[in-house]
């Protein structure tokens, strides 16, 4: 699949269509063409980013620093719900905590995506042809991401030196998310090479330590960068919408009758 759909539902349907096509000629390969193996973590990350951005926008509005929005009077709206929500400063505090929650929720998927095996068909032991004799033991997964991390007692200082100090703003977070996963996948075979020579039993193995530190750093930096991007984007005015922009409108140019909606639009390039 060269062009990954921006719609979770459309992706699911396309994976099934591919399964039906491939199963006729290669049943063994078709066995891996399902959501259990392809996963949906890219969509979980994108949805998490949007939650975080929306939460930041509401926080900005509650503190009087937001852009033009139909929710400009958000503090008054909350106060109308309950007298207990009449304190604007308290509402802002609640909304800040919402953002922190969304950030932590998103961080789970970002950390998962930084783990090389989570982006490979070899996630629980080497699949298919195996000329190098890599393990097929599913425990390699936990040996790398849990047991070895505990063995070396990875710390914040170990990881920080691999984190780029300057945050990035992403023009298209969806593409950035896919790139984050692909970058991690490129280290999948390295996990198996290290395991083959017993590196994950040696707390002093330089290469194994570096792989752990760089993968942790990648996840940490990417969460920061998505938060930075969301904060910048949350300050912008709500984009003008036409009736045909609504995803469920069949007149939307990208409406897919199989999903009953259009995918989220790509950011407008300026």
């Amino acid at each position: 699949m060269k062009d990954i759909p921006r719609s979770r539902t459309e992706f699911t349907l396309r994976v099934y269509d591919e399964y039906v096509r491939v199963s006729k000629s290669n049943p063994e390969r078709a066995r891996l063409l399902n959501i259990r193996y392809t996963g949906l973590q890219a969509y979980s990350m994108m949805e998490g980013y949007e939650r975080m951005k929306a939460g930041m926008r509401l926080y900005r509005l509650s503190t009087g620093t937001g852009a033009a929005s139909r929710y400009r009077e958000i503090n008054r709206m909350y106060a109308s719900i309950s007298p207990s929500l009449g304190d604007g400063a308290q509402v802002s505090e609640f909304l800040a905590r919402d953002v922190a929650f969304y950030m932590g929720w998103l961080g789970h998927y970002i950390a998962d995506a930084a783990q090389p095996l989570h982006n490979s068909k070899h996630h629980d032991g080497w699949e298919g042809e195996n000329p190098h004799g890599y393990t097929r033991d599913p425990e390699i997964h936990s040996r790398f991401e849990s047991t070895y991390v505990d063995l070396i007692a990875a710390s914040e200082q170990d990881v920080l030196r691999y984190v780029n100090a300057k945050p990035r703003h992403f023009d298209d977070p969806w593409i950035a998310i896919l790139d984050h996963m692909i970058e991690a996948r490129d280290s999948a075979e390295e996990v198996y090479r290290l395991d083959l020579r017993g590196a994950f039993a040696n707390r002093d193995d330089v290469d194994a330590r570096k792989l752990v530190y760089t993968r942790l750093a990648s996840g940490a930096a990417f969460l920061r960068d998505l938060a930075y991007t969301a904060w910048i984007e949350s300050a912008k005015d709500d984009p003008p919408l036409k009736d045909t922009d609504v995803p469920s409108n069949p007149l939307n140019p990208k409406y897919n009758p199989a999903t009953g909606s259009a995918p989220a639009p790509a950011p407008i390039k300026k």
Side-chain angles (χ1 to χ4, degrees):
M1 193 182 297
K2 295 180 180 180
D3 181 25
I4 307 298
R6 290 175 183 261
S7 162
R8 175 194 284 258
T9 307
E10 187 173 334
F11 175 75
T12 302
L13 292 176
R14 284 177 61 177
V15 168
Y16 178 71
D17 289 343
E18 184 68 1
Y19 163 78
V20 171
R21 185 186 71 81
V22 173
S23 63
K24 297 173 183 177
S25 59
N26 191 339
E28 182 61 22
R29 180 169 179 271
R31 184 175 63 86
L32 302 178
L33 289 171
N34 57 63
I35 296 304
R36 163 70 178 83
Y37 281 95
T38 62
L40 293 166
Q41 68 179 358
Y43 299 96
S44 295
M45 282 187 278
M46 191 65 202
E47 291 157 7
Y49 164 79
E50 292 291 351
R51 288 188 199 97
M52 183 170 62
K53 183 176 70 174
M56 289 175 174
R57 180 173 286 127
L58 293 180
Y59 172 78
R60 285 182 180 278
L61 291 170
S62 75
T63 58
T65 60
S69 171
R70 59 187 179 279
Y71 300 115
R72 190 74 186 177
E73 300 297 324
I74 189 170
N75 284 352
R76 187 177 299 173
M77 293 167 63
Y78 274 110
S80 70
I81 295 172
S82 169
S84 65
L85 297 176
D87 183 342
Q90 187 179 56
V91 168
S92 296
E93 175 64 23
F94 289 156
L95 292 171
R97 294 184 184 187
D98 283 348
V99 172
F101 171 74
Y102 295 142
M103 194 178 297
W105 187 0
L106 172 60
H108 170 87
Y109 294 109
I110 287 176
D112 266 355
Q115 212 276 46
L117 301 187
H118 289 167
N119 305 285
S120 167
K121 69 178 183 180
H122 307 295
H123 50 78
D124 287 331
W126 193 263
E127 286 274 351
E129 295 182 8
N130 191 7
H132 301 295
Y134 296 140
T135 184
R136 297 191 189 276
D137 176 14
E139 292 303 313
I140 186 176
H141 198 122
S142 60
R143 273 200 299 278
F144 170 59
E145 75 173 21
S146 298
T147 306
Y148 192 66
V149 174
D150 291 341
L151 178 65
I152 64 176
S155 69
E156 181 178 343
Q157 291 306 313
D158 293 326
V159 174
L160 272 178
R161 57 192 166 128
Y162 295 102
V163 176
N164 190 324
K166 186 177 180 180
R168 295 173 293 172
H169 173 271
F170 298 123
D171 292 333
D172 189 339
W174 172 248
I175 298 300
I177 285 168
L178 296 179
D179 287 345
H180 175 61
M181 294 168 61
I182 292 169
E183 177 193 284
R185 187 190 64 191
D186 288 344
S187 297
E189 189 169 0
E190 179 66 12
V191 175
Y192 281 87
R193 282 195 291 264
L194 291 168
D195 184 76
L196 186 63
R197 63 176 174 80
F200 298 137
N202 178 6
R203 69 185 313 276
D204 297 318
D205 190 288
V206 175
D207 295 329
R209 278 180 171 267
K210 184 175 181 180
L211 182 59
V212 167
Y213 298 153
T214 54
R215 290 294 83 225
L216 288 171
S218 175
F222 192 58
L223 176 59
R224 176 204 59 194
D225 295 344
L226 277 182
Y228 177 71
T229 300
W231 180 246
I232 291 174
E233 296 301 314
S234 70
K236 297 180 180 179
D237 294 347
D238 286 347
L241 292 177
K242 305 185 296 292
D243 288 345
T244 52
D245 292 328
V246 177
S248 58
N249 188 341
L251 298 179
N252 186 305
K254 295 187 177 181
Y255 181 83
N256 184 342
T259 65
S261 67
I268 298 174
K269 294 182 180 180
K270 297 181 179 179

